[in-house]
Amino acid sequence: MRAAGPLLLTWALLLGTAASQQCHPAGPAAVLRFTDRHAELRVPALHRVPSSLDPLYGLVRRCLDLIQQNPLPTELLRTALNEPGSVRTAQVVQYELGYVVCAAVALLFAVAVPVAGMCFCYCRSRRRCGGRLRAHRRSLGCRRRCLLACLSLTSLIMLVSASCALVSSQRVKGQMEPGLGAVPSTLRTLQQHLDNVPQGVQMVVDKFEVPRKQILSDLGGLSRSVGLSIHAQLSAVTYAALADLQDRAAELQASLQHLQTVHSTARALAAAQAELEPALRERRRGAVALLDDPRCTSCASALGRAQRLQLGADFAKVPSVEKVLKALAGLPRSDFAEMIRQGNGTFNSIPELAVERMAQLIQDLRADLARTAEKVQSIADSFPLPDYTRPASEALAEAERRSRPYLREARRFERYRWIAGTVLCSIILLILACNVTGMALGAYGLSKREDPSDYECRGEAGAKFLLVGVALAFLFSWLLILLVFATFLVGGNIQTLVCRNWVNQEIYKFIDTPGNLPPSMNLSRQLNLRRDSNLSSAYRECKGGAGLWEVLQLDSSYDLDEHLRTPKYTADLQKRLGGFTVSLGDVRLLRSEGRQDLETFARSGLDELDYGRFQEELQNPVVQTSLPGLARSLEGLQKMQRNGTVAGRLAAEARALWHMQNSTVRAQEALVAKLGESVQFLSRLAPHLKERVRRTLATTASLEARLPLQAQQILRQELGCFTRKELRYFTQYLNWVGQTLREDVASCQPLATALDNGRVILCDRIAEPWNAFWFSLGCCTFLLIPSIIFAVRLTKHFRPIRNRLISTGSEETCPFHIPRVTALKL
């Protein structure tokens, strides 16, 4: 069990190293950046822009929904497209009934208002209309104010409507040019999008260069990085084992030196004691005889110490170390310093050794990467779209060619509409100016007139301005109603027949229904859609981000996901890295002769020596009585003697003691101190010697056996980290390929975006302000009728009134006095 401790410690260190191991050489995979060079072929999505006229647009749409409540005329359109000559007028009138009613109203207005104008002119020529009031009543003021308020309100509504008409007309003009220009540009962009699919796919495939360069860069530093990782993770236990081995070697060397010191010093002390004992006995006899002499004064105090003047320690009794020295004879037979240096050098050479042993692996991985690039090229080679997009591309080119004449005509008619609308809106504003000026001058003239029968030039001028506005209204009303009806008929049908059914996708359903379109307009065949697909489903799939190959009719199915499976391109790399094994060399920390030296050291019997007896003898002094103390006592007694002979003998005895102390005893005390140091070192080392040597040998043997296995395990872990990192590069690239092909290069979404853009341009940006224009202009046109009525009625109130006597009890009038100044008549 005691021997298992070092093994468990080594295993714990190795397992702790493996548990804390991180993917050092691979590290986190970088995020690859791919440039997008296909952006110029995208169709930007257009959206309806919120406007301050949105409430007006909503009101116009509700009015059109009331006028045209019929659904999409499927039968009528089918007949018109397939057999135009068989279209019956009754069918058209039935569908356009709301517009027919509006046409009748417009025709009635166009005829009635000019006729009313001619009648009014005839009446004026006969001085029967627009003249003067013939009587003054109390209610004239109230009537005048009511007429002023009604005409002012009518003029204000007309002003707002005319302003909306001008703003809407300008918006139509502003949106028409870019809207019509977007048609051929969008068709060209779609055609280029289809034609450039092969180049786009090849561009996407060529971007494999990005992960390939990154992987090659990682491969360049893989072997050294793996070697450094192995070295870093195993360095702690390896250096600890080498340090422990160095300590045992140092202990062996020091123990040999101390054993030799103990052996030589003990023999020297024993020989010195043999020489010291007769001299010490002679000194004791002479000192005792002298101090016991009756002539020696006060010598009894030193007599006892002189009698104890004998050897203290007996170094002949210390244990012999010759047996241990004999067991260690010839050690160390190996050079531990060189052995440790070689083991350290072998371990430190692991990074360079890894570079050397993994060179062939790196070369094979580069070859695998080159073959992977050929497999990636197969994505472009097997992409089936170029042969199947040609019909759609030709259809788009034909549509772009045929649309140009119609677009030129649309621009021309829009220019005429804008000119006519601006002129007629300006006439309405001129009529409003006449009304406002007439009301202002008339009201001012009334305020300055003291007698209703008096002539007032400003009031007369106001009446004339009102009549000028009336004349302009009669003169241009038929032009206004014609422009309103023409724009209403076009814009209303676009809204109710096209836009409304475009939003709810009824148009797509009509196109998808077999037989609705003539064979020459079979869009599914022209666009080469799948047999089980139609325009509605293709539109939904394209809008959802489907690829062209998913909606076109291909001879054989093409599964992009199958082509973008990561294992298809990484199988060789994973297999080569997963099966790679290499020996990085055996790290020999302790050779056999060194192991034998340590085992001999542990069995030498160093721990069996009786260090207690050494300590007992070392604690005893060399001489029991202190020679310096006794010598100083004799010197003190010398001074107290009256007998010169005794004093001389005491002095001589003291000098002899000092000489013995300085020449013999002191040298032996130095040897005793030296012996004590060696014995103390050996006594501290001996109890733990066998355990330390056993632990060092077990740790070294276990580490030498486990280091290659642990290095191999770390190698596999590091290669696994590298494999996962490179797989992430492949995954990033293949995901980008799939996303780019579906959303950009071979995306069907531009077709759906183009259809949505067409609806936004035609319906939201052109039709809505167009309809707002005729609606606002129509309001102005129909408000001309109350404006004419209120203006004519108000004209009489601005002219002088003929006076008559008015009875308070009846409506009868009496002749009045004709004023001196008569009113001018138009």
Side-chain angles (χ1 to χ4, degrees):
M1 291 297 294
R2 294 179 63 187
L7 294 175
L8 291 176
L9 178 61
T10 304
W11 270 99
L13 290 173
L14 292 175
L15 291 177
T17 301
S20 62
Q21 186 257 350
Q22 301 293 331
C23 294
H24 172 70
V31 178
L32 302 179
R33 303 294 181 184
F34 303 97
T35 58
D36 186 1
R37 295 183 297 181
H38 208 255
E40 65 275 6
L41 299 179
R42 292 175 182 168
V43 178
L46 302 180
H47 302 282
R48 187 179 186 277
V49 180
S51 170
S52 58
L53 296 179
D54 285 346
L56 177 60
Y57 298 159
L59 177 61
V60 175
R61 284 196 299 271
R62 287 190 290 272
C63 291
L64 288 173
D65 290 339
L66 290 175
I67 294 172
Q68 178 57 282
Q69 300 181 9
N70 296 323
L72 183 69
T74 306
E75 296 296 332
L76 180 59
L77 289 176
R78 180 190 297 116
T79 304
L81 291 173
N82 291 277
E83 299 177 5
S86 62
V87 176
R88 297 193 302 273
T89 306
Q91 291 179 306
V92 179
V93 171
Q94 182 181 358
Y95 175 73
E96 298 282 351
L97 184 59
Y99 293 100
V100 171
V101 173
C102 293
V105 174
L107 180 61
L108 178 62
F109 185 93
V111 173
V113 175
V115 170
M118 288 187 290
C119 294
F120 178 76
C121 291
Y122 176 76
C123 291
R124 283 296 298 146
S125 66
R126 305 295 293 179
R127 297 187 178 182
R128 293 183 180 181
C129 299
R132 297 184 294 177
L133 294 174
R134 298 182 179 275
H136 179 74
R137 295 181 177 86
R138 296 188 186 95
S139 61
L140 289 180
C142 181
R143 292 180 182 179
R144 184 170 54 247
R145 286 190 295 273
C146 182
L147 290 172
L148 277 170
C150 291
L151 184 57
S152 299
L153 180 60
T154 303
S155 299
L156 179 61
I157 296 175
M158 290 177 65
L159 178 61
V160 173
S161 299
S163 301
C164 291
L166 284 172
V167 172
S168 301
S169 179
Q170 191 61 35
R171 287 196 178 181
V172 173
K173 182 178 183 297
Q175 293 293 337
M176 185 67 73
E177 182 63 30
L180 296 178
V183 174
S185 64
T186 301
L187 293 175
R188 284 195 303 270
T189 302
L190 291 176
Q191 183 184 359
Q192 292 174 4
H193 174 72
L194 295 177
D195 293 342
N196 289 339
V197 167
Q199 295 89 331
V201 174
Q202 186 59 48
M203 179 272 294
V204 170
V205 170
D206 292 341
K207 285 301 176 181
F208 181 69
E209 188 68 13
V210 175
R212 191 182 74 85
K213 286 183 178 179
Q214 186 65 45
I215 295 172
L216 288 176
S217 175
D218 294 343
L219 282 175
L222 174 64
S223 54
R224 177 166 292 277
S225 183
V226 169
L228 290 175
S229 180
I230 295 174
H231 182 271
Q233 295 181 54
L234 298 180
S235 59
V237 292
T238 303
Y239 290 153
L242 290 174
D244 194 36
L245 181 60
Q246 188 174 12
D247 291 341
R248 300 293 84 74
E251 289 173 356
L252 172 60
Q253 193 68 36
S255 297
L256 286 173
Q257 294 177 358
H258 284 292
L259 285 171
Q260 292 173 356
T261 299
V262 169
H263 179 67
S264 60
T265 304
R267 294 182 62 182
L269 285 172
Q273 280 188 331
E275 296 177 358
L276 178 61
E277 184 178 9
L280 191 60
R281 188 184 310 114
E282 181 65 25
R283 292 274 71 77
R284 183 178 65 244
R285 186 173 54 251
V288 168
L290 178 60
L291 294 175
D292 197 32
D293 190 342
R295 293 176 297 176
C296 187
T297 304
S298 303
C299 292
S301 60
L303 180 59
R305 286 195 292 176
Q307 291 174 347
R308 292 193 301 275
L309 193 62
Q310 59 185 0
L311 293 176
D314 187 1
F315 292 103
K317 297 179 180 180
V318 298
S320 174
V321 296
E322 290 185 2
K323 181 180 179 181
V324 179
L325 285 174
K326 185 178 180 181
L328 298 177
L331 295 185
R333 290 184 291 272
S334 59
D335 188 351
F336 281 96
E338 177 63 20
M339 187 166 46
I340 292 173
R341 187 188 65 79
Q342 290 180 358
N344 203 3
T346 302
F347 179 73
N348 290 335
S349 65
I350 286 179
E352 288 74 15
L353 189 61
V355 173
E356 177 184 347
R357 300 289 174 83
M358 295 178 66
Q360 185 61 42
L361 172 66
I362 302 301
Q363 184 177 352
D364 294 340
L365 290 175
R366 293 178 187 273
D368 291 341
L369 192 59
R371 288 190 292 272
T372 302
E374 297 176 359
K375 293 181 180 179
V376 172
Q377 180 61 37
S378 67
I379 297 177
D381 297 339
S382 62
F383 207 71
L385 281 182
D387 296 334
Y388 299 94
T389 57
R390 189 176 299 108
S393 179
E394 293 174 353
L396 292 172
E398 181 66 17
E400 193 267 336
R401 183 184 63 80
R402 290 186 176 184
S403 66
R404 291 187 178 276
Y406 299 103
L407 296 177
R408 285 196 296 268
E409 290 298 317
R411 289 190 182 93
R412 185 167 63 88
F413 285 116
E414 166 57 21
R415 183 166 60 253
Y416 294 156
R417 183 211 61 83
W418 180 80
I419 294 173
T422 304
V423 171
L424 292 178
C425 287
S426 301
I427 292 174
I428 291 176
L429 293 177
L430 181 59
I431 294 172
L432 294 175
C434 291
N435 288 348
V436 173
T437 306
M439 288 188 292
L441 291 175
Y444 184 69
L446 288 176
S447 66
K448 295 298 183 180
R449 189 167 59 186
E450 297 178 357
D451 188 344
S453 63
D454 291 340
Y455 175 81
E456 214 290 317
C457 62
R458 284 163 293 201
E460 185 68 23
K464 290 182 178 181
F465 269 107
L466 290 177
L467 290 177
V468 170
V470 170
L472 290 173
F474 281 128
L475 183 62
F476 292 100
S477 60
W478 66 278
L479 288 175
L480 284 167
I481 197 64
L482 289 179
L483 180 61
V484 168
F485 180 73
T487 54
F488 158 72
L489 187 62
V490 174
N493 276 289
I494 290 176
Q495 173 62 35
T496 57
L497 184 61
V498 179
C499 295
R500 186 169 63 190
N501 295 293
W502 200 338
V503 172
N504 57 26
Q505 298 190 1
E506 288 295 328
I507 289 181
Y508 296 146
K509 295 178 183 177
F510 174 80
I511 295 174
D512 293 336
T513 302
N516 284 347
L517 296 179
S520 61
M521 297 179 62
N522 191 336
L523 295 181
S524 296
R525 187 178 66 251
Q526 291 180 357
L527 297 177
N528 199 26
L529 299 180
R530 293 196 318 263
R531 292 187 179 90
D532 59 343
S533 179
N534 52 39
L535 187 60
S536 299
S537 60
Y539 169 77
R540 288 192 297 269
E541 292 178 14
C542 292
K543 195 172 182 65
L548 284 170
W549 64 92
E550 295 173 323
V551 299
L552 296 182
Q553 180 179 335
L554 306 182
D555 292 338
S556 59
S557 61
Y558 179 78
D559 189 356
L560 180 63
D561 294 331
E562 178 64 24
H563 286 78
L564 298 182
R565 286 193 311 109
T566 304
K568 182 177 180 180
Y569 306 98
T570 61
D572 294 340
L573 183 142
Q574 288 181 274
K575 181 179 180 180
R576 193 175 298 279
L577 287 172
F580 178 75
T581 57
V582 65
S583 174
L584 297 180
D586 296 335
V587 179
R588 303 299 300 173
L589 305 180
L590 183 64
R591 292 194 294 270
S592 58
E593 57 270 22
R595 182 178 299 276
Q596 292 175 1
D597 285 351
L598 292 180
E599 291 174 349
T600 302
F601 180 40
R603 296 193 304 267
S604 62
L606 186 64
D607 56 332
E608 298 175 359
L609 294 176
D610 190 357
Y611 293 100
R613 291 190 48 196
F614 275 108
Q615 297 296 336
E616 290 177 2
E617 295 300 328
L618 290 175
Q619 288 176 359
N620 295 326
V622 176
V623 180
Q624 287 188 359
T625 300
S626 174
L627 295 182
L630 182 58
R632 283 191 290 271
S633 297
L634 294 180
E635 290 175 349
L637 291 174
Q638 174 196 352
K639 298 176 181 178
M640 298 171 59
Q641 302 302 317
R642 292 188 295 272
N643 188 323
T645 303
V646 173
R649 290 178 61 191
L650 287 172
E653 196 65 31
R655 286 194 297 272
L657 290 174
W658 278 113
H659 181 267
M660 182 178 290
Q661 173 66 27
N662 294 330
S663 61
T664 304
V665 175
R666 182 168 295 175
Q668 291 187 27
E669 289 177 347
L671 292 176
V672 169
K674 184 177 180 182
L675 178 63
E677 292 177 358
S678 298
V679 169
Q680 186 177 8
F681 172 82
L682 295 174
S683 64
R684 288 197 305 266
L685 176 64
H688 311 289
L689 176 61
K690 289 185 178 180
E691 180 63 25
R692 289 181 179 178
V693 172
R694 187 181 298 110
R695 184 177 67 246
T696 299
L697 294 177
T699 301
T700 304
S702 175
L703 190 60
E704 287 179 345
R706 292 297 307 170
L707 272 180
L709 300 177
Q710 190 66 25
Q712 199 63 232
Q713 181 181 355
I714 295 174
L715 173 67
R716 287 194 296 271
Q717 290 173 345
E718 295 299 325
L719 291 180
C721 291
F722 175 80
T723 303
R724 290 191 294 273
K725 178 182 177 182
E726 307 314 314
L727 289 182
R728 286 194 290 269
Y729 289 143
F730 277 100
T731 303
Q732 287 185 53
Y733 170 72
L734 294 175
N735 289 340
W736 176 80
V737 169
Q739 180 181 2
T740 305
L741 290 180
R742 284 190 172 94
E743 299 180 3
D744 189 5
V745 173
S747 174
C748 178
Q749 196 167 23
L751 299 177
T753 303
L755 290 175
D756 292 339
N757 289 350
R759 182 188 57 79
V760 170
I761 293 173
L762 177 63
C763 300
D764 297 339
R765 299 192 177 184
I766 295 179
E768 284 194 344
W770 177 290
N771 290 327
F773 165 73
W774 64 254
F775 184 84
S776 302
L777 190 61
C779 289
C780 294
T781 303
F782 283 101
L783 285 174
L784 286 177
I785 296 176
S787 175
I788 291 171
I789 296 172
F790 295 142
V792 172
R793 295 291 299 274
L794 192 59
T795 302
K796 298 180 179 182
H797 291 268
F798 293 157
R799 285 175 171 161
I801 303 173
R802 296 175 182 178
N803 289 322
R804 290 184 181 181
L805 296 175
I806 302 175
S807 173
T808 58
S810 67
E811 293 291 333
E812 296 180 358
T813 59
C814 300
F816 61 92
H817 175 70
I818 299 176
R820 292 184 297 270
V821 181
T822 58
L824 296 175
K825 295 183 179 179
L826 292 176

